[in-house]
Amino acid sequence: MAKLGQFLKTKKQFVFYSFLVLVIIFVAIAAPAIARVDPTAAKLRDAFQAPSAEHWFGTDALGRDVFARVIYGTRVSVSSAVILVAVILVTGTALGLIAGYFGGVVDAVIMRIADMMIAFPDLILAMAIAGILGPSLINAIIAITVVSWTKYARMARSLVLKIRKRTFISAAEINGSTHSHILTHYMLPNALPTMIVTAATDIGTTMLSLAGLSFLGMGVQPPTPEWGYMLSEGRSYILTSPWLLFFPGAAVFIVVVVFNLWGDSVRDIVDPRKKTKKHFRRKKH
């Protein structure tokens, strides 16, 4: 308990942003209890009502409650972003471990494919892939995974190349350990902390990418409430019903900022040297 108390006192920034992340997760889980209105229920007679005591965030073109849609959108947007980051983390880390450990032709093939992916702008390539596969949340996740795994693969590969030269790897090879054993028991545990921290810092960016595809009609499809698609629906009414853009836009902004700051605080805990370097540069300037 003493160590926990000391940690909470010395890592106030991490504790604060972790609390905000937990609040967001709680909102996503408890959406039915918070909203208490079906976010897909259309009542045309209530269309375009301004924010009021009855409809806190107003209603949209079909009379649906915007507050309920924003709250339920937390569940869709956050869960989709976390799932997407997990898929990219697993895919990129696995390919990077294989490339760095085996080297040779395997390394050349994986890295040349990564180079080809990097040659195209991420969002443009994701749009092209999502357009070919068809508009849906699953296809949007696949499209962003295809264009985003390269970062994780390169990072995992560089970590493996450093670990590969260490004495305990040579000892394991001499003792007859199989490649799979070395990868899972030596390479992966040493590379995983850095990869997880990178994934934590990417949740906010990934959420923006998903929202962007949904805004363009290539991600979540109606009537599912999702912030990017809500912005797309509301853009036609920006002058007459600005609340249709303001509230989902504010939700995207707040949640992305919280996750970005939380990811930075996680990185500072895992690698405090980066934080020290930042303060050193500031003092220097």
Side-chain angles (χ1 to χ4, degrees):
M1 290 297 293
K3 289 184 178 180
L4 178 60
Q6 183 66 22
F7 176 82
L8 295 177
K9 288 181 181 179
T10 56
K11 307 297 181 183
K12 293 180 180 178
Q13 188 179 37
F14 170 75
V15 172
F16 175 69
Y17 292 129
S18 295
F19 171 75
L20 295 181
V21 168
L22 290 175
V23 169
I24 293 170
I25 294 173
F26 172 77
V27 170
I29 295 172
I34 297 173
R36 296 187 178 182
V37 177
D38 185 356
T40 62
K43 297 180 181 178
L44 293 177
R45 55 188 168 84
D46 294 336
F48 297 119
Q49 288 192 12
S52 63
E54 184 180 359
H55 302 286
W56 292 357
F57 291 178
T59 59
D60 63 8
L62 298 178
R64 297 173 297 191
D65 188 81
V66 176
F67 175 74
R69 290 180 66 76
V70 169
I71 295 298
Y72 274 87
T74 308
R75 174 180 291 184
V76 176
S77 298
V78 173
S79 61
S80 300
V82 171
I83 291 171
L84 176 54
V85 168
V87 172
I88 296 172
L89 172 65
V90 172
T91 305
T93 302
L95 291 173
L97 289 175
I98 293 170
Y101 180 75
F102 291 103
V105 177
V106 175
D107 182 29
V109 170
I110 294 175
M111 287 300 103
R112 293 302 75 77
I113 294 173
D115 291 340
M116 286 191 295
M117 293 296 176
I118 294 172
F120 298 94
D122 289 352
L123 184 58
I124 302 298
L125 184 57
M127 287 170 55
I129 296 171
I132 293 171
L133 296 176
S136 73
L137 177 59
I138 300 249
N139 290 341
I141 290 175
I142 293 172
I144 297 175
T145 301
V146 169
V147 302
S148 302
W149 65 269
T150 55
K151 171 184 175 181
Y152 290 81
R154 285 178 170 276
M155 187 175 299
R157 176 180 178 271
S158 65
L159 292 170
V160 168
L161 291 176
K162 292 178 182 178
I163 300 168
R164 190 81 174 79
K165 298 176 182 179
R166 294 186 182 177
T167 308
F168 63 86
I169 299 296
S170 301
E173 292 174 340
I174 292 172
N175 288 331
S177 297
T178 62
H179 294 313
S180 60
H181 180 83
I182 294 174
L183 282 170
T184 55
H185 288 76
Y186 297 102
M187 298 296 184
L188 183 59
N190 281 279
L192 199 56
T194 301
M195 305 305 299
I196 290 176
V197 170
T198 303
T201 59
D202 282 349
I203 293 176
T205 305
T206 302
M207 198 176 298
L208 280 179
S209 298
L210 276 172
L213 287 182
S214 295
F215 180 84
L216 296 170
M218 298 178 182
V220 173
Q221 296 301 296
T224 304
E226 195 272 341
W227 296 332
Y229 189 76
M230 290 175 67
L231 289 170
S232 179
E233 286 182 319
R235 60 181 173 172
S236 302
Y237 312 103
I238 186 172
L239 296 178
T240 57
S241 305
W243 58 86
L244 297 179
L245 284 168
F246 176 78
F247 291 111
V252 172
F253 174 78
I254 292 170
V255 173
V256 169
V257 168
V258 167
F259 272 102
N260 282 343
L261 294 175
W262 177 72
D264 288 342
S265 65
V266 172
R267 182 185 58 196
D268 291 339
I269 290 175
V270 174
D271 189 1
R273 291 176 299 174
K274 292 185 178 179
K275 188 175 182 180
T276 304
K277 289 177 183 177
K278 286 180 185 177
H279 289 302
F280 178 74
R281 288 196 194 102
R282 287 174 188 166
K283 289 180 181 178
K284 207 171 179 183
H285 288 297

